[in-house]
Amino acid sequence: CSGVDGDGGGGHGDGGNVEFSDRSTTVPECGTCPSIVRPGPGGVTVGDWMAAAMEHLFQSVEPAVISEAERQVRSVFPNGLPHPDDLVMVNVRWGDKKREMKPVPILSFIREVEKLIETRPPERADMPLHVYVATEDPRALREFIALSPPSWRIHASGPLQMEGHTNMWKFASGRNGLQSLGALLVSLEANRFVLTRGSNWSRLIDELRKNVVDPRCGGCTSMVDLSPGEWPTMLGNGTITWESSSGR
């Protein structure tokens, strides 16, 4: 979403990992759609369905969102975006998510980042490592910075909640919502991701990674999931439930 080159030749080509059109598209009317979300031959999984839906929704992105993403890139990467192989994206979902899934300790994220950077191409092994931390919880960001190796370059953008205010329904609207969408586009500039797919936000990032970024870069990305989950969930008998599969 940004054409600014950094110390590592940021992004693929001149526009980074992802280029989203700001042109509107016409969505045809479909009337009553058949239920194809079912197990077995001829059906698709909930995950496949949700991924296809997210890919469709992000075929066209509002100019205001693109402008916000570019603003964040200029702010948190003053020297330009690093090369995607030198950038690891981490999504830490704490806050009120503890009601649905057990919070993942920061050290677990750091350990996975250390493993992922071992998979960089040999020619980039000695380049500085950049970690983009996407989180709404200021405690998580402070702890990640405190526990990370000193050589890592930590970046973060998007809104942070006030201490003790963890209600996402009230938080993620208006200006905060726009900043969150901008941060989502920035997240997709990495080639390596550490996520918790028990979180809707991590699943959204992963669906866009697989269905938007990978097709454009020849499958260049990889992901580690520290908290698997799917919502809604398809049970073995084909029943769809809206209870989180990640547990409490």
Side-chain angles (χ1 to χ4, degrees):
C1 58
S2 171
V4 181
D5 286 333
D7 54 5
H12 293 271
D14 294 329
N17 261 357
V18 187
E19 296 177 3
F20 290 96
S21 170
D22 61 1
R23 293 172 294 178
S24 62
T25 58
T26 300
V27 180
E29 296 182 5
C30 65
T32 302
C33 298
S35 177
I36 64 171
V37 181
R38 60 181 184 272
V44 298
T45 66
V46 171
D48 289 340
W49 177 262
M50 297 294 284
M54 293 305 103
E55 179 184 2
H56 176 76
L57 289 174
F58 278 83
Q59 285 180 352
S60 178
V61 177
E62 289 292 325
V65 177
I66 296 175
S67 295
E68 172 61 22
E70 292 174 339
R71 182 194 68 79
Q72 292 183 24
V73 167
R74 291 191 297 269
S75 175
V76 302
F77 297 102
N79 295 320
L81 283 167
H83 190 284
D85 278 326
D86 301 329
L87 179 62
V88 179
M89 186 273 161
V90 172
N91 178 217
V92 183
R93 180 69 169 89
W94 280 7
D96 62 353
K97 197 62 178 177
K98 61 185 178 182
R99 302 170 187 171
E100 298 179 9
M101 73 179 196
K102 184 178 180 181
V104 177
I106 292 298
L107 283 175
S108 296
F109 288 97
I110 291 175
R111 283 194 292 266
E112 294 304 327
V113 172
E114 290 173 335
K115 294 176 185 177
L116 279 177
I117 61 177
E118 296 298 322
T119 66
R120 285 194 292 179
E123 64 271 18
R124 307 213 63 83
D126 295 327
M127 299 299 294
L129 175 69
H130 299 259
V131 181
Y132 179 75
V133 181
T135 184
E136 81 293 344
D137 195 319
R139 297 174 303 129
L141 180 57
R142 287 198 302 268
E143 190 170 332
F144 195 97
I145 293 173
L147 297 178
S148 296
S151 62
W152 291 7
R153 302 181 183 182
I154 311 300
H155 311 268
S157 64
L160 292 172
Q161 292 179 322
M162 295 177 60
E163 298 282 357
H165 296 263
T166 61
N167 189 315
M168 285 298 292
W169 293 103
K170 296 180 180 179
F171 176 70
S173 61
R175 180 63 182 170
N176 286 342
L178 176 61
Q179 291 179 352
S180 296
L181 289 174
L184 174 65
L185 299 192
V186 177
S187 298
L188 298 177
E189 295 296 339
N191 272 0
R192 289 163 178 78
F193 298 77
V194 182
L195 306 176
T196 55
R197 294 186 78 256
S199 155
N200 292 331
W201 198 252
S202 271
R203 281 199 305 280
L204 174 57
I205 293 169
D206 194 41
E207 288 156 1
L208 294 174
R209 174 189 72 86
K210 293 184 295 185
N211 290 273
V212 176
V213 179
D214 267 356
R216 301 186 184 195
C217 69
C220 64
T221 73
S222 58
M223 186 273 293
V224 174
D225 185 4
L226 292 179
S227 182
E230 186 174 83
W231 183 83
T233 304
M234 179 186 291
L235 304 180
N237 61 3
T239 302
I240 305 298
T241 174
W242 291 86
E243 296 294 331
S244 173
S245 67
S246 60
R248 294 185 180 277

